[in-house]
Amino acid sequence: MCGGVEYEAHGDIIRTYFPKPKATLPVLRKDGEIEPVIWGRREQELDQTAEPFPVTGWARQATLTQRNGFWQRFQTKPVKICVHGFMEKDGAKQSHWFKLSKHEAIEGLLVMARPYWRVYVVTEDAPTDPATLSQRMHAGGHQDDMFANVDAPAMIHDRWPKIISL
């Protein structure tokens, strides 16, 4: 469910993971600049600035447009999270990295509680085509298909980040 991401900031390659307190994601602003925004909220965050935000790092695509749905109570805006790749864990809790092309981003949901905001990774059902999974893994620098013995990508995780065009 996209537990980590890799991106470039100020010439450095950064890998960050949701459990890390104050983990940020690189959000593309309207002016074309990248802004680091805190990734969701963790259970242990009890300070006043975190209080208005939901305790999670992800937002199911299907719930974003539901009438009277969970996200309807918040002031939100879709954004683009500009990363090189993302990390998923398999059933054995092994991490696997998946590369995005330079023309792709992860869809994010910016949640605003003035004067603060946080970003949540928008998720959708995992791909059902093993070729899609294998292609992303090989693009990510993996030498072999680590999921050759997995019957379906959903066995790795049932929710994946929604990949969009830049």
Side-chain angles (χ1 to χ4, degrees):
M1 191 165 40
C2 187
V5 297
E6 180 180 276
Y7 61 95
E8 187 173 338
H10 309 293
D12 294 325
I13 299 298
I14 308 293
R15 279 193 173 178
T16 193
Y17 304 89
F18 176 72
K20 179 183 169 190
K22 305 294 182 188
T24 62
L25 294 175
V27 173
L28 182 64
R29 297 186 331 201
K30 281 185 181 182
D31 65 4
E33 295 295 315
I34 299 292
E35 171 111 13
V37 178
I38 295 175
W39 181 359
R41 178 181 170 199
R42 289 133 208 86
E43 285 184 30
Q44 66 270 26
E45 288 184 87
L46 304 173
D47 60 274
Q48 197 171 15
T49 64
E51 195 173 296
F53 298 99
V55 178
T56 184
W58 306 272
R60 285 185 190 266
Q61 172 68 40
T63 65
L64 298 182
T65 56
Q66 286 177 343
R67 192 174 167 161
N68 298 322
F70 179 80
W71 296 99
Q72 300 304 313
R73 67 183 110 173
F74 301 102
Q75 183 180 359
T76 63
K77 174 182 173 182
V79 294
K80 294 178 180 183
I81 300 169
C82 298
V83 297
H84 297 162
F86 63 94
M87 185 269 300
E88 293 282 348
K89 289 195 176 196
D90 62 23
K93 304 286 186 200
Q94 295 296 310
S95 298
H96 303 282
W97 287 88
F98 299 86
K99 185 176 175 71
L100 299 184
S101 81
K102 63 182 179 180
H103 303 290
E104 295 177 312
I106 293 175
E107 184 172 325
L109 183 69
L110 189 70
V111 176
M112 295 160 277
R114 301 273 182 215
Y116 307 105
W117 54 85
R118 302 231 175 164
V119 67
Y120 294 79
V121 172
V122 174
T123 62
E124 58 189 2
D125 291 340
T128 56
D129 176 18
T132 300
L133 190 62
S134 181
Q135 178 185 14
R136 283 211 186 274
M137 288 192 71
H138 290 150
H142 297 284
Q143 298 303 315
D144 59 344
D145 185 354
M146 290 182 266
F147 294 118
N149 297 323
V150 176
D151 292 331
M155 290 179 67
I156 299 160
H157 209 288
D158 65 338
R159 288 168 56 191
W160 282 63
K162 182 177 179 185
I163 307 301
I164 56 175
S165 296
L166 269 176

